[in-house]
Amino acid sequence: MLVLNVASSSGSEDDSEATTSDNFGEPVVYPNVSMTIMADVQVDRKPVPTNSVVGVFAGNELRAKSTVIDFEGKTLANLTIYVNTDGEALTFKLWNASTGKTVDIPNLSVLAKSGDASYSYPNNMLVLNITTTVELKGFAKWVDDNKLTGDNALPTAKPHNDGITNLEKFVFGLDGSRATSYGANPNFKHSVEGGVASFQFPVRKDASGISVKLMMSNDMSNWEEADAVSIGESGEFNLFNYSAPLPLNGKLFFKLKVLEK
């Protein structure tokens, strides 16, 4: 069995500096049999700086703290937790040695149990991970998914010379990694029946902050906005449609304007 003693109050001068800089104070000690937790401490799924400190709390009361050490490529904390009552919810904080800041370790709670040692090295460690990276959404995620960089990643760019901007491809669910056309999305539909022309188009549900306007013309010189109506949804798209009688010349043209709000 591996025992890592990383939270001794009588450690070296370096250890003392690390455990007093965290501002956690000293844990409250109860006479019950303590529980132990071996934790793998991470930030964005990567090791944290050594000499960082993990604190364990029941409510606002500090029950344990441990200086993080580097062991076999992992940064580990060996926590001896003083239990007052079995079933208490234990939460965790990390004092990061590189930033000097204390942050909560979110979405994680462990129930206290006297004498418990189920989180142990090496196969059943508790993973304490803090996520700091921002999850990409919307257009930014679409750009990343299509591996567009530099000027080719701009909303107005047309990196494949197909006449369709990146922003338009994103909004209408088109492939940004190669040349394409609107017809590549089957949710684009048009028809003429009984002298009435209809045009259906999709708009991605996650296209927040972007407006789509339908424009109509009889001669492709004079354009006016047409009021498309919502007709439901299909997968990741909201669907819109516009219908109008054909003019005397039998011609009706539509185009879509995509703008960032």
Side-chain angles (χ1 to χ4, degrees):
M1 180 177 68
L2 173 69
V3 176
L4 299 178
N5 181 15
V6 296
S8 171
S9 60
S10 60
S12 66
E13 182 178 351
D14 288 342
D15 286 339
S16 175
E17 289 180 357
T19 56
T20 57
S21 298
D22 55 68
N23 297 321
F24 285 145
E26 294 302 318
V28 176
V29 178
Y30 288 94
N32 301 333
V33 177
S34 60
M35 68 181 292
T36 60
I37 288 179
M38 179 64 74
D40 182 357
V41 191
Q42 308 169 357
V43 173
D44 295 327
R45 301 298 176 186
K46 298 178 181 178
V48 300
T50 54
N51 288 332
S52 297
V53 180
V54 174
V56 184
F57 293 80
N60 293 322
E61 195 169 74
L62 180 67
R63 296 294 180 82
K65 70 177 182 179
S66 174
T67 303
V68 174
I69 67 166
D70 188 333
F71 186 81
E72 294 184 346
K74 297 181 181 293
T75 39
L76 307 181
N78 190 10
L79 296 154
T80 299
I81 301 165
Y82 299 99
V83 177
N84 181 24
T85 304
D86 285 357
E88 295 176 296
L90 303 175
T91 58
F92 301 81
K93 297 179 184 289
L94 174 70
W95 177 78
N96 191 311
S98 65
T99 65
K101 295 181 179 180
T102 300
V103 294
D104 293 332
I105 299 176
N107 305 318
L108 178 65
S109 178
V110 172
L111 297 181
K113 183 178 180 182
S114 298
D116 185 56
S118 56
Y119 292 107
S120 57
Y121 182 91
N123 296 322
N124 196 33
M125 292 186 290
L126 179 66
V127 176
L128 303 179
N129 179 64
I130 298 171
T131 300
T132 62
T133 53
V134 177
E135 181 183 358
L136 294 177
K137 297 180 180 179
F139 179 71
K141 184 178 186 304
W142 181 90
V143 167
D144 187 67
D145 289 344
N146 286 280
K147 299 178 172 54
L148 299 172
T149 59
D151 289 344
N152 284 339
L154 295 175
T156 56
K158 303 173 185 177
H160 303 291
N161 300 315
D162 51 14
I164 308 175
T165 67
N166 284 333
L167 193 63
E168 291 167 345
K169 288 182 179 180
F170 162 67
V171 169
F172 301 129
L174 303 176
D175 190 344
S177 66
R178 59 183 177 85
T180 188
S181 67
Y182 289 106
N185 187 331
N187 288 303
F188 278 103
K189 297 179 181 179
H190 60 87
S191 64
V192 176
E193 185 175 348
V196 176
S198 295
F199 176 57
Q200 174 187 298
F201 62 93
V203 175
R204 285 178 65 125
K205 294 177 181 177
D206 60 349
S208 57
I210 299 172
S211 67
V212 179
K213 294 182 178 180
L214 176 63
M215 309 300 293
M216 179 179 64
S217 174
N218 295 330
D219 56 13
M220 295 192 70
S221 295
N222 301 296
W223 294 89
E224 61 182 33
E225 187 173 350
D227 293 325
V229 297
S230 174
I231 59 170
E233 58 185 54
S234 176
E236 61 184 327
F237 300 100
N238 292 316
L239 301 180
F240 298 86
N241 187 79
Y242 180 79
S243 297
L246 285 173
L248 293 177
N249 64 3
K251 295 181 180 179
L252 195 60
F253 303 95
F254 297 104
K255 68 179 181 180
L256 296 167
K257 292 179 65 175
V258 179
L259 301 170
E260 292 183 281
K261 295 179 182 178

